[in-house]
Amino acid sequence: MLFQVGGQGVRPTFFEMAAAQQLPASLRAALTYSIGVLALRRPLLHKVLDYDDEFFALLMLVLETHSLRTTEASFSESLYGLRRRAVNVQLSKENPRAELGHSGLKKHQKALSVAFLVVLPYFKSKLHSIYNREREATLQASLWGPSDVRVDDSDYFDSGDSHVPTGSLSTNTSLWTHIRKRIEAFIGEFYPWIHAGNEGLTFAYQLLYLLDATGFYSPGLHVLGIHVCRATGQELMDTSSRISKIRSRERERLRGPPWLKALQRVLLSCMYTTLDYAQTGLIAAVFFFKMMEWWYQSAEERMSAPTVYPPPPPPPPPKVAEEGIPLPPDRTICPLCSQKRVNPSVVAVSGFVFCYPCIFRYVSQYKRCPVTLMPTTSDQIRRLFHDM
């Protein structure tokens, strides 16, 4: 069966789709950096960094829901002038070619789009964190042994007069801990395969999209039956009127006394203003983050650039003791046996080279260097593999 793409909108390029997909990650990095800088002066913001996954998921839930409701596109796709369209297969007896028509998103497609854009990435981030913890625990266990048996500090501080019944509480806690460890172990075992399969399938879809073999950029869009198209000029003009109609209907639904309606209108106006300027503000935050990242990176490179200094002079050679063994004029001769060195070895405290058997017997007997008479041990004899 042959298919022909019809309907409004033009298929965006691969690079437009890739840029739209990467925007949330850049936005998250910018927000994390900004909160980290502000937390230097206000330590209470560190709690936000402790729950950065939840904070970012809640922010994206608001932005994606609002964007899909008003523009029928995700937050990042709307910035690039893209729109989501439901794919409808149209068959006719007169035309043997099946056309893929486009129509507006339905409610369940918008809800599932939010799930694919916000909920699934959140769970993926959590699974990745659990996998990293499990991998670190496995590595520590391989190095230091299992850490299942630990000494509970409470055993040392509990008094014998305590009559609080804690048997059932400890049993429930141990059961929950056992279940949690089993789940984490299962995730650590199977998450790499799930992650590899997801990344491989995504790469295959992107490659097929790049080669014009499919109209779906990702498996999620294929499951939802959604194509991403460029918005036409008429669609961009209709977006403003659609937003105005939606907000007018919301204001008409307000109920209550006049003062309550006035308060609700003020709150709605504040919310609308925040959402209208959210795109501009967040894009400005991403730009500011990239600029600061470049600035500090270039400054760090300047600070870490190697400075050419003249080489330091060599340290002065150790002095030969008056009562020590004199050095031969030929540097390849052992001072102890007066023969050519065999298995050359150096005394670390003085730096003089001898035959290994000669210096080992001498140091084992006298506990000193034969030339400088500096105290040393056989542990400070080092083998030389390149004799000058």
Side-chain angles (χ1 to χ4, degrees):
M1 181 181 295
L2 299 177
F3 290 92
Q4 181 179 0
V5 179
Q8 295 181 351
V10 181
R11 180 178 179 271
T13 63
F14 173 82
F15 300 101
E16 287 178 312
M17 294 297 299
Q21 293 289 328
Q22 291 297 326
L23 185 60
S26 301
L27 176 61
R28 177 169 184 169
L31 291 177
T32 304
Y33 175 79
S34 303
I35 296 174
V37 172
L38 294 176
L40 296 177
R41 293 183 175 272
R42 293 171 177 80
L44 291 177
L45 293 177
H46 281 291
K47 295 182 179 179
V48 178
L49 295 177
D50 294 338
Y51 299 95
D52 57 338
D53 290 335
E54 289 76 12
F55 173 76
F56 184 74
L58 181 61
L59 175 63
M60 294 307 297
L61 179 64
V62 175
L63 294 178
E64 299 291 4
T65 303
H66 172 71
S67 181
L68 285 168
R69 183 185 180 191
T70 56
T71 64
E72 291 190 347
S74 68
F75 172 75
S76 56
E77 291 166 355
S78 62
L79 294 177
Y80 289 90
L82 305 178
R83 295 293 182 268
R84 295 194 169 201
R85 294 290 175 261
V87 179
N88 300 322
V89 180
Q90 301 174 358
L91 298 174
S92 61
K93 296 181 179 179
E94 295 81 5
N95 186 7
R97 300 169 63 90
E99 290 189 359
L100 295 180
H102 291 157
S103 61
L105 296 181
K106 300 178 181 179
K107 289 185 178 181
H108 74 277
Q109 288 179 323
K110 293 181 180 180
L112 291 176
S113 296
V114 172
F116 274 85
L117 291 169
V118 179
V119 180
L120 289 184
Y122 171 75
F123 282 111
K124 181 180 178 181
S125 177
K126 285 300 181 182
L127 291 176
H128 194 72
S129 301
I130 295 174
Y131 168 72
N132 286 334
R133 290 199 305 267
E134 190 67 20
R135 185 178 60 177
E136 291 177 1
T138 303
L139 180 60
Q140 291 180 359
S142 63
L143 294 176
W144 309 107
S147 57
D148 295 337
V149 180
R150 296 182 180 271
V151 179
D152 192 359
D153 295 339
S154 61
D155 296 339
Y156 292 97
F157 298 99
D158 286 345
S159 60
D161 299 334
S162 177
H163 300 287
V164 179
T166 59
S168 59
L169 181 61
S170 61
T171 302
N172 294 334
T173 304
S174 62
L175 180 60
W176 166 246
T177 303
H178 177 71
I179 294 175
R180 181 173 58 84
K181 287 184 177 180
R182 293 294 298 271
I183 294 175
E184 291 179 354
F186 178 82
I187 293 174
E189 184 71 21
F190 291 98
Y191 174 76
W193 299 97
I194 299 174
H195 179 69
N198 177 63
E199 293 296 324
L201 188 60
T202 302
F203 174 76
Y205 267 86
Q206 292 177 359
L207 182 61
L208 293 174
Y209 186 88
L210 180 62
L211 299 176
D212 290 336
T214 181
F216 301 101
Y217 181 79
S218 65
L221 294 175
H222 197 173
V223 171
L224 296 176
I226 292 175
H227 275 174
V228 178
C229 307
R230 286 202 191 100
T232 61
Q234 185 63 35
E235 288 175 341
L236 294 176
M237 295 175 60
D238 293 342
T239 300
S240 300
S241 60
R242 185 188 305 111
I243 294 175
S244 300
K245 291 180 181 179
I246 292 175
R247 293 178 178 178
S248 299
R249 287 197 299 267
E250 290 179 348
R251 290 190 179 97
E252 292 174 358
R253 294 173 185 169
L254 298 179
R255 296 292 182 270
W259 66 269
L260 183 58
K261 289 184 178 181
L263 179 60
Q264 291 175 349
R265 289 193 185 95
V266 172
L267 294 177
L268 284 177
S269 300
C270 294
M271 184 182 67
Y272 294 153
T273 303
T274 303
L275 293 174
D276 289 340
Y277 290 97
Q279 291 184 350
T280 305
L282 292 176
I283 294 304
V286 173
F287 175 77
F288 176 75
F289 164 72
K290 291 297 182 182
M291 184 185 67
M292 295 301 295
E293 185 180 29
W294 168 82
W295 178 268
Y296 282 110
Q297 184 177 4
S298 59
E300 184 178 354
E301 289 177 355
R302 290 194 301 268
M303 294 178 62
S304 61
T307 305
V308 179
Y309 294 106
K319 296 181 179 180
V320 179
E322 296 180 357
E323 300 178 358
I325 299 175
L327 294 175
D330 189 357
R331 298 179 61 181
T332 63
I333 301 300
C334 174
L336 290 174
C337 64
S338 300
Q339 302 292 329
K340 188 173 180 61
R341 285 194 297 262
V342 179
N343 293 333
S345 301
V346 63
V347 179
V349 296
S350 62
F352 291 103
V353 184
F354 310 86
C355 297
Y356 179 77
C358 300
I359 191 60
F360 184 79
R361 287 194 299 267
Y362 187 91
V363 171
S364 299
Q365 182 178 358
Y366 297 103
K367 307 295 183 183
R368 65 184 183 183
C369 174
V371 177
T372 61
L373 303 183
M374 298 173 63
T376 183
T377 61
S378 58
D379 294 335
Q380 294 176 319
I381 300 175
R382 299 290 184 267
R383 172 73 186 277
L384 295 180
F385 294 93
H386 181 67
D387 192 10
M388 298 298 294

